[in-house]
C-alpha cells in the first residue's frame, strides 16, 4: 500500500517539475491538495479491504447480546467471547452487562483461551460480590484453572494430572472450596466437592512421584521426607499406600531398621490386602484416579 502511495507521489512530483515554468505560482496549492486527496483515497481503500472495519460498532446492546448468544449456541466460542466482551465494554451499566461478563469467561474457557477467561471471571467476581450467580462464577473459575483437558499428547502418552504443575490444581481447589463453604446449597457444590477430593489425590500423587524419583536415584533421605509429607497432608489419598512403601524402603536403605519396621507395621495395618511390600507395585483400577466422571 505504501509503495502505491509513493509511486503516485513521484508521478505527481515529476509532472510538476516538467511543467514548472508553464504553471502559474498560484496553482501550486491546488496540485498539493490533489496529491493529498489522492493519497487519502488510497489509504481509505486499503483500510476497507483488510477487514479492519468492525460492523459491531453500530449494533445496539440487544443485537450485540443476541449475536453473541447465537455464536455461543453455535459453539463458536472464540467469537462469542469477543462479542460478550465488547458488549460489557460498550454497555457497562446495561441490563446484559453482568451476564456478558460471565458468558465471556465461559466462552474463552471453551475456546481454550485460559488467560482471557481468568481475566473475565476475576473481573466479574471483583465487581459483583452480591450477584446471585456468584456461586457459578467461583465454580467456573475452578474449572478454568483446573483445566482437566490433557490434550492429545497427554492421552497418547498416558499422562495424568498428577504429572503436571500442581500450582493450577491448588488454585482450582481454592475456588471450589469457596463454592462448597460459602454456597453449600448450590447445585454446583456437589461437583465442586468431588473435584476437591480428586485435586487432593492429584497433589498426593505428585508428591509420591517426587518421592519415587528420589528413591530410584538413591536419595533415600529426600525420598523419606517427601513420603512423610504425603502421609501427613493427604492421609486418605490412594497415594498413601505407595508413600508408606517408599518410607519403609527408604528407612531400610538408610539402615534405620526400627523406623523401617514401624513403617511396615503401619503399612500392613492400613493396607492388609496389599502386596506392595513384596512386589513393589501398587495395583490401580483400570479407571484413572482423576477420571471421576467415569463412575
Amino acid at each position: 500500500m505504501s509503495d502505491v502511495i509513493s509511486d503516485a507521489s513521484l508521478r505527481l512530483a515529476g509532472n510538476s517539475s516538467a511543467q514548472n515554468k508553464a504553471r502559474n505560482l498560484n496553482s501550486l496549492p491546488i496540485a498539493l491538495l490533489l496529491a493529498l486527496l489522492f493519497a487519502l483515497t488510497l489509504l481509505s481503500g486499503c483500510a476497507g479491504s483488510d477487514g479492519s472495519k468492525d460492523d459491531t460498532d453500530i449494533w445496539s446492546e440487544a443485537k450485540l447480546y443476541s449475536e453473541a448468544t447465537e455464536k455461543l449456541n453455535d459453539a463458536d466460542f472464540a467469537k462469542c467471547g469477543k462479542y460478550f466482551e465488547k458488549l460489557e465494554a460498550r454497555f457497562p451499566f446495561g441490563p446484559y452487562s453482568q451476564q456478558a461478563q460471565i458468558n465471556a469467561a465461559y466462552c474463552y474457557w471453551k475456546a481454550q483461551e485460559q488467560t482471557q477467561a481468568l481475566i473475565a471471571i476475576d473481573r466479574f467476581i471483583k465487581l459483583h460480590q452480591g450477584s446471585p450467580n456468584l456461586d457459578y462464577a467461583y465454580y467456573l473459575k475452578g474449572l478454568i484453572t483446573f483445566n482437566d483437558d490433557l490434550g492429545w499428547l497427554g492421552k497418547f502418552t498416558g499422562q495424568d494430572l498428577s504429572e503436571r504443575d500442581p500450582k493450577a490444581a491448588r488454585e482450582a481447589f481454592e475456588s471450589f472450596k469457596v463454592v462448597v463453604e460459602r454456597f453449600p446449597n448450590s447445585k454446583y457444590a456437589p461437583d465442586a466437592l468431588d473435584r476437591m477430593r480428586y485435586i487432593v489425590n492429584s497433589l498426593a500423587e505428585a508428591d509420591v512421584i517426587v518421592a519415587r524419583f528420589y528413591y530410584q536415584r538413591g536419595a533415600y533421605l529426600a525420598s523419606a521426607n517427601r513420603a512423610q509429607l504425603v502421609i501427613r497432608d493427604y492421609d486418605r489419598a490412594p497415594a498413601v499406600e505407595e508413600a508408606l512403601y517408599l518410607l519403609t524402603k527408604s528407612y531400610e536403605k538408610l539402615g534405620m531398621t526400627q523406623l523401617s519396621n514401624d513403617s511396615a507395621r503401619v503399612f500392613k495395618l492400613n493396607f492388609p490386602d496389599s502386596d506392595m511390600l513384596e512386589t513393589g507395585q501398587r495395583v490401580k483400577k483400570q479407571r484413572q484416579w482423576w477420571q471421576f466422571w467415569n463412575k
Side-chain angles (χ1 to χ4, degrees):
M1 180 173 62
S2 59
D3 293 339
V4 176
I5 296 172
S6 299
D7 291 342
S9 300
L10 288 172
R11 287 198 299 273
L12 286 171
N15 292 339
S16 179
S17 293
Q19 300 174 7
N20 186 49
K21 293 182 181 180
R23 287 185 177 178
N24 189 290
L25 292 176
N26 293 331
S27 66
L28 184 59
I30 297 176
L32 291 174
L33 180 61
L34 288 173
L36 288 171
L37 288 174
F38 184 63
L40 288 172
T41 300
L42 286 174
L43 284 170
S44 63
C46 290
S49 64
D50 66 1
S52 59
K53 184 179 178 181
D54 189 355
D55 293 334
T56 65
D57 289 343
I58 61 173
W59 288 358
S60 67
E61 182 180 8
K63 178 173 175 57
L64 191 51
Y65 183 80
S66 175
E67 291 291 332
T69 303
E70 183 177 335
K71 295 299 180 185
L72 172 59
N73 294 334
D74 292 340
D76 188 350
F77 298 117
K79 184 159 286 186
C80 82
K82 292 177 181 177
Y83 279 6
F84 281 122
E85 190 173 47
K86 286 177 183 290
L87 174 61
E88 189 267 329
R90 286 180 54 196
F91 305 99
F93 305 108
Y96 302 112
S97 177
Q98 286 192 33
Q99 191 63 45
Q101 283 184 17
I102 206 164
N103 283 4
Y106 175 82
C107 289
Y108 282 131
W109 169 56
K110 295 296 287 184
Q112 297 184 350
E113 297 183 28
Q114 188 186 46
T115 300
Q116 289 296 102
L118 284 175
I119 290 172
I121 201 63
D122 281 340
R123 185 169 64 248
F124 179 91
I125 291 172
K126 182 178 180 180
L127 296 176
H128 307 293
Q129 277 294 307
S131 170
N133 294 322
L134 192 60
D135 60 334
Y136 174 71
Y138 278 108
Y139 176 72
L140 180 57
K141 183 177 180 178
L143 293 178
I144 294 168
T145 314
F146 186 62
N147 190 21
D148 56 351
D149 182 8
L150 296 172
W152 69 269
L153 183 60
K155 293 173 182 176
F156 179 77
T157 59
Q159 182 191 38
D160 61 40
L161 296 179
S162 65
E163 297 176 42
R164 302 195 296 178
D165 183 4
K167 181 175 180 292
R170 291 191 178 95
E171 292 175 354
F173 182 89
E174 292 302 319
S175 296
F176 292 134
K177 185 178 179 182
V178 172
V179 179
V180 172
E181 293 184 350
R182 289 181 56 181
F183 310 97
N185 297 322
S186 169
K187 65 180 180 180
Y188 305 107
D191 187 68
L193 185 59
D194 280 343
R195 290 178 184 271
M196 286 173 65
R197 292 191 183 105
Y198 281 91
I199 287 172
V200 167
N201 289 347
S202 77
L203 296 174
E205 291 284 348
D207 278 342
V208 161
I209 289 172
V210 175
R212 187 191 311 144
F213 174 86
Y214 287 144
Y215 182 81
Q216 290 171 345
R217 280 153 184 79
Y220 302 120
L221 182 59
S223 177
N225 289 338
R226 186 56 66 102
Q228 284 180 331
L229 287 178
V230 175
I231 298 165
R232 183 193 68 190
D233 296 340
Y234 313 107
D235 61 326
R236 297 184 182 182
V240 170
E241 179 184 359
E242 186 170 355
L244 277 169
Y245 166 79
L246 290 170
L247 187 63
T248 301
K249 292 300 181 179
S250 294
Y251 283 147
E252 183 180 298
K253 292 290 186 179
L254 291 168
M256 300 178 177
T257 307
Q258 185 60 48
L259 290 175
S260 178
N261 291 338
D262 290 343
S263 299
R265 186 165 54 252
V266 173
F267 181 98
K268 293 175 182 178
L269 181 65
N270 285 274
F271 303 98
D273 299 324
S274 175
D275 296 326
M276 191 171 188
L277 282 177
E278 289 74 31
T279 65
Q281 300 294 322
R282 177 155 55 109
V283 179
K284 294 184 180 181
K285 296 179 180 179
Q286 288 185 346
R287 175 176 61 87
Q288 296 294 327
W289 60 266
W290 52 267
Q291 292 176 317
F292 54 89
W293 47 86
N294 294 334
K295 300 296 185 181

